[in-house]
Amino acid sequence: MTLLLDIQNLSICFDTDEGTVRATQNISFQIRKGETLALVGESGCGKSVTALSILRLLQEPPARYDSGSIIFEGRDILHLHESELQDIRGDQIGMIFQEPMTSLNPIFTIGDQIAEPLRRHKNLNTDQARKETLKLLQQVSIPAPEQRIDQYPHEISGGMKQRVGIAMAIACKPRLIIADEPTTALDVTIQAQIMQLLQDLKNEMGASLLLITHNLGIVAQHADRVAVMYAGKIVETAEVLELYDHPSHPYTKGLLNSLPKGKPGESLEPIMGTVPHPAFLPSGCAFHPRCPEVMTQCKTSMPPSFELNFGGKHQADCWLFDR
Ligand code: SF4
């Protein structure tokens, strides 16, 4: 499959009054055309910063791109001018934000908000944009679109708001959709519907999807490959089935162990401790204070990436694989 997005050695810092905070450290991953890559990890691991950086939506300063490249269809996003970025945002790359309650503008109708990228990127006039918006509302299964199109965000439910967010993101048929925790704020029953909708639309358009989530249940059903992130680093990457069959990094194992197994009375096994603040990362492997398999060298030396021998491409940053 052809590469659509190629991120190499991306390090993003925030210059704050308290000093420099490293949000991501030398992260690398690729997304191929038509593929779904899930970026998983607990809150505070750097997933959303990574997602926002692909569209250069982090405020600069305080954000600073310390090193690396973000190559989208052959062009380095980090070297584009603001006008070139505006041509890409919402057109070639669509983004679905975490909180549908706050990502929509309360003073514009949902129709106006969906039509905005169509007018901006496709030069549609008001009538054409309205017709296209009605089609999009149908596509994302919003009932009675002729009435909904003139409603304001506060007049519709959370699930419907997220459907509107998806309609905005796919309006211009982007080649890459970034979905940042698209179901976190929704009821469990609506979550499954929204994920299925996203998957169907992505397949219809032949787009690629970067799915940011902490929900490994969603990942198993919807992703082709997985990159596990911890403390600003990608610590394990693998194809989805391989990751579930052979989780290798102790952090990935911890995430999987903390999932409900569905057996009555069985207690969950959480990962002890919390994600460290990026300004105060532990020495060596940043996971070492929480790791059940920690060794002496883990406390002083940061592990490099090791290729694992499970067939297919599978890497983990952990000294356990230093043979
Ligand atoms: Fe645990 Fe050491 Fe591997 Fe880090 S490098 S995950 S501390 S075993």
Side-chain angles (χ1 to χ4, degrees), residues 89-97 113-114 117 136 140 162-179 198 205:
R89 292 178 191 137
D91 186 32
Q92 294 159 44
I93 305 179
M95 179 134 186
I96 301 162
F97 292 93
Q113 297 186 60
I114 297 171
L136 282 160
V140 297
Q162 196 54 302
R163 287 173 194 271
V164 171
I166 293 174
M168 285 166 70
I170 64 161
C172 298
K173 300 193 171 41
R175 295 195 268 290
L176 174 66
I177 304 168
I178 302 173
L198 195 51
M205 297 189 304

Side-chain angles (χ1 to χ4, degrees), residues 249-250 285 287-288 291 293-295 298 303 317-320:
H249 195 284
C285 170
F287 188 57
H288 87 251
C291 181
E293 301 181 60
V294 60
M295 302 172 288
C298 305
D317 292 21
C318 172
W319 286 120
L320 291 172

Side-chain angles (χ1 to χ4, degrees), residues 144 150 160 190 276 317:
D150 295 316
M160 252 192 242
I190 307 293
D317 292 21

Side-chain angles (χ1 to χ4, degrees), residues 28 44 52 69 101 119-120 122 125 140 171 182 189 197 225 242 269-271 281 294 298 314 321:
S28 299
L52 292 169
S69 56
M101 322 294 168
R119 286 193 293 260
R120 163 89 176 74
K122 303 296 177 201
N125 64 32
V140 297
T189 48
L197 173 69
R225 282 190 307 122
E242 190 166 293
E269 292 174 45
I271 305 173
L281 292 179
V294 60
C298 305
H314 190 167
F321 305 102

Side-chain angles (χ1 to χ4, degrees), residues 28-30 32 35-41 210-211 213 215-216 218-229 234-244 252 255-256 313-315:
S28 299
F29 64 86
Q30 290 83 36
R32 301 178 188 104
E35 180 183 50
T36 297
L37 175 79
L39 198 55
V40 304
L210 173 61
L211 177 62
T213 182
N215 184 334
L216 282 164
I218 285 179
V219 171
Q221 289 167 34
H222 297 283
D224 299 306
R225 282 190 307 122
V226 188
V228 181
M229 225 173 153
I234 288 179
V235 295
E236 183 163 7
T237 35
E239 289 184 356
V240 70
L241 292 178
E242 190 166 293
L243 190 99
Y244 282 79
T252 312
L255 288 177
L256 288 168
K313 230 175 173 235
H314 190 167
Q315 295 177 333

Side-chain angles (χ1 to χ4, degrees), residues 110-171:
I110 60 172
D112 280 340
Q113 297 186 60
I114 297 171
E116 202 267 332
L118 292 167
R119 286 193 293 260
R120 163 89 176 74
H121 296 295
K122 303 296 177 201
N123 294 322
L124 301 191
N125 64 32
T126 308
D127 285 350
Q128 291 167 326
R130 188 173 173 91
K131 271 191 203 143
E132 203 53 40
T133 300
L134 284 169
K135 273 194 220 157
L136 282 160
L137 287 173
Q138 272 168 350
Q139 227 181 331
V140 297
S141 306
I142 290 194
E146 296 82 4
Q147 290 152 33
R148 298 292 184 194
I149 193 169
D150 295 316
Q151 289 189 310
Y152 289 87
H154 73 269
E155 296 177 277
I156 60 175
S157 68
M160 252 192 242
K161 283 192 189 82
Q162 196 54 302
R163 287 173 194 271
V164 171
I166 293 174
M168 285 166 70
I170 64 161

